[in-house]
Amino acid sequence: MTPEVSVALAAEHGLSPEEFERICTLLGRTPTYTELGIFSVMWSEHCSYKSSRVHLKQLPTSGPRVIQGPGENAGVVDIGDGDALIFKMESHNHPSFIEPYQGAATGVGGILRDVFTMGARPIACLDSLRFGRPDHPRTPHLIEGVVAGIAGYGNAFGVPTIGGDVAFDASYDGNILVNAMAVGIAPRDRIFLGCASGVGNPVLYIGAKTGRDGIHGATMASAEFDDESDAKRPTVQVGDPFTEKLLLEACLELMATDVLVGIQDMGAAGLTSSSVEMAGRAGSGLELDLDRVPRRETGMTPYELMLSESQERMLLVAQAGRESEVLALCDKWDIDAAVVGRVTESGKIVVTSGGEVVAAIPIAPLVEGLKYERPMARPEWQSRVQTLELPPPPADLGQALLAVLGSPSVASKEWVWRQYDHMVGDRTVVRPGSDAAVVRIIGSAKGVAATSGCNSRFCYLDPYEGAKLAVAEAYRNLSATGAEPLAVTDCLNFGNPERPEIMWQFAEAVRGIADACRALETPVVSGNVSLYNETDGQAIQPTPMIGMVGLLVRADRSVTQPFKAGQQEIALLGTNSDEIGGTEYLYVVHGRTAGRPPRIDLAREAAVGRAARELGQAGLIASAHDCSEGGLAVALAECCITGKLPIGATIELGDPMRGDLLLFSEAPSRIVISYPAAAAEQVQAIAERNQAPLQRLGTTGDHRLIIRSAGEPLVDLALAELISVYCNGFRRVVEGAA
């Protein structure tokens, strides 16, 4: 029985009384049940960005390399020689908490479709993950399920998962984050858009059959979690990477012809969002006949067919009279296909089922969605958490380094990336475990570097400064690898925007991203907003995840973080600082999350980046590693122990500051480099030319990490001890509770 549409039913769909009244006014009547479902998903936070749109306008979205900015399935940048890079990051947070394997797997599947619907062959995936306390009883289960889901989908599909990051905090206990990023490559002149133009052109459905999985996925992503969250398990989609692979090949073969007018992934809100968005971009209308939709379950209602988020499906518009070509090609690849409608000039989406009209809605208000300027207020606790009374230094700085290095957020994530096939496709040059991963461009000397991550602790203490630091760290990761940073995709994860303090956090973070991207000339070309990430009123730390891509002129000169040989010079591009607020050291050793994030000089960041890139592509340096989580001491330790053979270092610091602050400050704009002594003059000249400070630190060699300051010993540890804590710090979270 179709339920009676009412204010109460609208509320169950996440619509306020005012929004329901607006729908009735737009239609001049009470909506049908199917129409209510359509409005609920298109006006959801997930699809309409109703709380965030007013702030996202601040972001820089254009540049000399930008071909397509925000508004399409993914962003596109020009990388020369007729090639374009297509990339985007998306969230699948709520589904992954409810059903970790399928939630994470379908997050990967969805972001891959966003890329190949633009005409690109995916060449890499990255994932950035956030979990609750390492000792929370549910954490091992969630980690195992999420990692297995990412591996199960990406490995079977045949795309290498090459990077990302994993971190832990109690704020994610009830709401983990699974942010997936995909990168693809396509001919610059063969970019496909999601546009339903040409009155009379046929609308075709291709891919997997439709089922009841994923219904209300978009509205679930636009609501807080509570004690009933597990009851939402049926809203999690089920993925099939083998069908997706067939769909990819079919789409790319179609795109090699001139049959397509437009194509769109059926992602969030499924058939509803894909049809509405395609028509909206063209200013056209659509007629859909649901009786023609391939389905795998019996008795499906129009409401279910329009809202299902079953995976591995595409909607496309073809040239009139050429439907048979599409159907024949899909038959060749053994995927379902059907003509389900046509483009009209009505400006409406008209949906029929069983010969009756079940929905007739103007496209424009669905696409325009809602736009709210929600109240904002700086949290009353913000000044309190920014206040830091400096704790006394630990008696043993070596033990402090071991504690920080073995922290699950800092320690080796080999347990994770060993489950991913990061070599499939024969493109991977730099594997997971360094600052940025690199894949080569087939038929070219060039390479593409990619990185993703965010220090949410900094963003909790100061969203504006924390967001700037997140952009700068991504920029630095690429520069350390030798790649020119090109552009950004982001995934903005925050709590309930109806709370003024959350809206303030969001606005400040967007402002920080905008300022950093302008200064570093890395426009934002795609992204995603994920709000309502909280459970029972407990919001996650603000987490504006930053994904960034870069270009290497020579992929074979990619630089990685481990020291390569003994008796080489070690130096620091940048300058040290005693800023300790928000550091992993403060959290792990002193149990505090407090203070202010380190200040950043974006001009200094750009200078250090330029110098690192020039040094790397000139082949002068053997290694490069940015200073970030854990500070200088952790960066040096990782340089010593993450290579094929551990190589020690003897460091003499001349900075006049307290030992623990010098070792563990996470001040930005610093890259540790190593190089043969014979290259010292050239290294110095390049640093000076780029106005980047350069400070000699010491030499590589032996089997210990020794750090002194003004002749006083700070750290003296055997590499074997460093390796033990680093290799087991993350693994024990999962395996220790198994």
Side-chain angles (χ1 to χ4, degrees):
M1 294 290 292
T2 301
E4 181 181 350
V5 175
S6 64
V7 174
L9 186 63
E12 293 178 17
H13 284 69
L15 294 164
S16 68
E18 294 76 19
E19 290 168 348
F20 180 66
E21 182 179 349
R22 183 170 175 178
I23 292 169
C24 294
T25 301
L26 280 168
L27 296 177
R29 55 178 170 79
T30 302
T32 67
Y33 184 48
T34 301
E35 289 172 335
L36 179 68
I38 291 172
F39 272 106
S40 75
V41 292
M42 292 307 299
W43 283 8
S44 69
E45 195 73 63
H46 192 72
C47 291
S48 76
Y49 289 41
K50 57 190 175 186
S51 299
S52 57
R53 288 162 62 190
V54 295
H55 302 287
L56 296 175
K57 293 187 297 184
Q58 302 175 65
L59 298 174
T61 58
S62 60
R65 289 187 180 270
V66 177
I67 297 172
Q68 176 64 57
E72 271 289 342
N73 292 288
V76 186
V77 294
D78 191 341
I79 56 172
D81 300 320
D83 291 325
L85 210 59
I86 299 178
F87 61 102
K88 190 183 182 183
M89 182 184 284
E90 276 271 10
S91 63
H92 230 223
N93 304 335
H94 284 34
S96 299
F97 184 76
I98 294 171
E99 176 50 67
Y101 183 94
Q102 291 295 351
T106 53
V108 173
I111 198 65
L112 288 170
R113 289 194 303 280
D114 280 338
V115 165
F116 74 73
T117 193
M118 301 283 290
R121 180 172 292 278
I123 59 172
C125 278
L126 301 90
D127 54 82
S128 290
L129 313 175
R130 296 293 178 271
F131 298 100
R133 290 165 292 161
D135 60 353
H136 190 283
R138 197 169 178 181
T139 295
H141 162 72
L142 290 169
I143 294 173
E144 289 176 332
V146 165
V147 172
I150 293 168
Y153 205 101
N155 295 355
F157 179 83
V159 64
T161 300
I162 59 170
D165 74 332
V166 187
F168 299 82
D169 186 82
S171 71
Y172 305 108
D173 278 352
N175 198 126
I176 65 173
L177 302 184
V178 175
N179 291 178
M181 177 178 167
V183 182
I185 193 165
R188 189 194 187 286
D189 60 355
R190 297 292 290 173
I191 306 300
F192 288 81
L193 306 180
C195 184
S197 59
V199 173
N201 279 337
V203 178
L204 291 98
Y205 169 123
I206 69 170
K209 290 180 170 66
T210 296
R212 290 188 171 92
D213 51 326
I215 293 173
H216 284 305
T219 47
M220 179 183 71
S222 306
E224 298 179 34
F225 273 164
D226 54 32
D227 293 337
E228 305 301 318
S229 295
D230 277 346
K232 298 175 182 176
R233 194 175 296 267
T235 62
V236 178
Q237 307 96 320
V238 177
D240 179 355
F242 302 103
T243 298
E244 179 121 327
K245 176 64 172 174
L246 296 175
L247 182 61
L248 163 71
E249 299 301 339
C251 286
L252 293 182
E253 191 167 334
L254 277 171
M255 290 164 174
T257 72
D258 61 352
V259 70
L260 290 183
V261 174
I263 184 168
Q264 173 100 358
D265 162 41
M266 289 193 221
L271 187 54
T272 290
S273 62
S274 56
S275 57
V276 168
E277 290 172 4
M278 289 181 77
R281 293 188 188 107
S284 62
L286 284 183
E287 290 179 356
L288 294 178
D289 182 355
L290 297 184
D291 294 341
R292 300 181 180 182
V293 172
R295 63 197 78 185
R296 66 170 185 266
E297 299 185 41
T298 60
M300 290 191 71
T301 66
Y303 176 97
E304 291 172 330
L305 289 164
M306 289 301 292
L307 270 61
S308 168
E309 295 184 9
S310 292
Q311 297 291 285
E312 294 89 37
R313 302 180 301 159
M314 292 281 192
L315 196 68
L316 58 89
V317 175
Q319 300 284 357
R322 301 184 66 182
E323 301 91 328
S324 60
E325 296 177 48
V326 178
L327 298 174
L329 194 144
C330 291
D331 182 63
K332 168 189 169 181
W333 287 102
D334 198 24
I335 57 174
D336 282 282
V339 178
V340 296
R342 67 184 186 94
V343 179
T344 70
E345 58 186 3
S346 68
K348 293 183 177 182
I349 179 168
V350 178
V351 183
T352 61
S353 177
E356 296 183 0
V357 174
V358 295
I361 307 173
I363 295 283
L366 289 173
V367 172
E368 291 165 6
L370 305 173
K371 183 167 68 175
Y372 293 141
E373 294 193 30
R374 297 199 185 273
M376 297 187 298
R378 188 175 186 267
E380 54 84 20
W381 46 260
Q382 197 75 48
S383 295
R384 185 172 67 253
V385 300
Q386 288 179 345
T387 302
L388 175 62
E389 183 176 337
L390 200 62
D396 190 331
L397 291 174
Q399 289 303 307
L401 172 56
L402 292 174
V404 175
L405 190 65
S407 163
S409 292
V410 172
S412 170
K413 306 306 185 298
E414 185 175 2
W415 185 92
V416 174
W417 55 259
R418 278 293 184 192
Q419 299 185 51
Y420 304 151
D421 188 342
H422 45 269
M423 297 302 292
V424 65
D426 196 31
R427 291 177 179 267
T428 308
V429 177
V430 177
R431 306 178 184 190
S434 202
D435 288 329
V438 178
V439 291
R440 63 191 179 93
I441 299 172
I442 302 296
S444 168
K446 297 188 298 186
V448 173
T451 185
S452 68
C454 169
N455 188 322
S456 57
R457 195 176 293 140
F458 286 164
C459 296
Y460 168 73
L461 295 172
D462 189 324
Y464 172 73
E465 294 295 338
K468 286 200 298 184
L469 289 163
V471 173
E473 184 177 349
Y475 179 91
R476 196 179 323 125
N477 284 339
L478 295 178
S479 296
T481 307
E484 175 198 355
L486 299 181
V488 163
T489 182
D490 58 36
C491 194
L492 309 179
N493 306 273
F494 290 80
N496 185 343
E498 297 167 49
R499 294 168 53 195
E501 64 269 27
I502 300 296
M503 206 64 243
W504 177 83
Q505 289 178 335
F506 181 87
E508 285 292 283
V510 172
R511 186 168 69 91
I513 293 170
D515 285 353
C517 287
R518 272 191 290 269
L520 298 175
E521 299 180 323
T522 52
V524 180
V525 297
S526 61
N528 171 242
V529 175
S530 176
L531 302 177
Y532 294 95
N533 288 290
E534 59 181 79
T535 298
D536 295 328
Q538 175 61 51
I540 63 166
Q541 288 184 340
T543 313
M545 209 72 78
I546 301 296
M548 193 179 290
V549 297
L551 182 66
L552 291 117
V553 176
R554 288 187 57 175
D556 64 347
R557 288 193 172 176
S558 303
V559 184
T560 57
Q561 70 186 33
F563 295 141
K564 304 301 188 298
Q567 304 307 308
Q568 292 198 335
E569 299 287 297
I570 304 170
L572 180 72
L573 283 170
T575 55
N576 288 318
S577 166
D578 62 359
E579 297 168 290
I580 204 71
T583 57
E584 188 73 14
Y585 160 75
L586 195 64
Y587 177 75
V588 170
V589 176
H590 297 285
R592 302 282 306 279
T593 297
R596 291 181 176 274
R599 296 177 297 275
I600 183 166
D601 179 339
L602 291 167
R604 168 71 57 81
E605 186 71 59
V608 167
R610 287 193 305 269
R613 296 194 297 272
E614 186 174 346
L615 288 167
Q617 286 294 286
L620 291 172
I621 54 177
S623 71
H625 186 23
D626 86 308
C627 293
S628 52
E629 287 83 358
L632 178 63
V634 165
L636 287 166
E638 290 175 334
C639 290
C640 289
I641 64 177
T642 57
K644 292 180 180 179
L645 291 175
I647 296 174
T650 301
I651 305 297
E652 184 69 53
L653 301 173
D655 304 85
M657 61 184 74
R658 210 174 88 173
D660 58 334
L661 310 187
L662 177 59
L663 292 178
F664 301 115
S665 169
E666 295 178 9
S669 313
R670 295 182 298 163
I671 298 176
V672 174
I673 60 174
S674 67
Y675 48 90
E681 288 188 11
Q682 291 171 280
V683 170
Q684 181 71 49
I686 287 174
E688 289 178 357
R689 182 162 65 247
N690 286 286
Q691 300 180 305
L694 182 72
Q695 173 185 347
R696 186 182 180 279
L697 298 180
T699 56
T700 63
D702 296 326
H703 301 286
R704 304 186 73 82
L705 173 60
I706 300 170
I707 305 177
R708 294 187 288 259
S709 180
E712 293 294 317
L714 300 180
V715 170
D716 187 347
L717 293 168
L719 297 190
E721 199 169 2
L722 296 172
I723 290 168
S724 177
V725 298
Y726 184 70
C727 291
N728 292 307
F730 180 90
R731 184 182 296 144
R732 61 183 165 82
V733 176
V734 181
E735 296 181 352

